[in-house]
Amino acid sequence: MNRNLHYLGIDVGSTTAKIVILNENDDIIYSRYERHLSNIKDTIVNLIDDAYSKFGDLVVSTAVTGSGGMAVPEWLNMPFVQEVIAGTKTVERFFPEGRY
């Protein structure tokens, strides 16, 4: 069992749900998306179950974003980050000198 901190993000849009897991070096170690067909909860459960089957217990910092994801934080006790803010913070993190 790896006890290093990982980052798990869920993005729920109008038609799809996406999940990504980054390791402590910000490398993508898992990503997947599915059409949710308006069944957001079951789709997210499937995505998380698939990630768990590949990695088991990971220590993760989590966040949810996306136009369809506003109810998800309530279901999973996760923070919600508005999409534009999430995108801005990502650019600032990976390009701190402003060279995009």
Side-chain angles (χ1 to χ4, degrees):
M1 184 166 40
N2 187 345
R3 286 288 165 206
N4 295 324
L5 180 63
H6 292 75
Y7 302 94
L8 182 148
I10 297 173
D11 176 36
V12 183
S14 58
T15 61
T16 61
K18 287 79 76 183
I19 185 173
V20 65
I21 300 174
L22 305 177
N23 66 15
E24 63 277 3
N25 298 318
D26 292 328
D27 299 317
I28 296 173
I29 61 168
Y30 178 84
S31 68
R32 185 170 160 207
Y33 82 97
E34 283 186 21
R35 292 194 176 280
H36 56 62
L37 304 172
S38 298
N39 189 348
I40 294 168
K41 192 178 276 188
D42 286 347
T43 303
I44 290 171
V45 167
N46 289 339
L47 291 170
I48 292 172
D49 280 348
D50 185 61
Y52 183 80
S53 73
K54 291 178 175 28
F55 298 102
D57 291 333
L58 293 175
V59 177
V60 295
S61 174
T62 63
V64 178
T65 192
S67 59
M70 293 210 236
V72 176
E74 197 171 299
W75 304 333
L76 299 175
N77 194 27
M78 300 170 112
F80 180 83
V81 179
Q82 200 276 339
E83 294 179 78
V84 174
I85 302 298
T88 300
K89 291 200 175 284
T90 300
V91 169
E92 289 172 350
R93 179 174 177 175
F94 288 98
F95 301 98
E97 295 83 35
R99 290 180 274 148
Y100 321 131

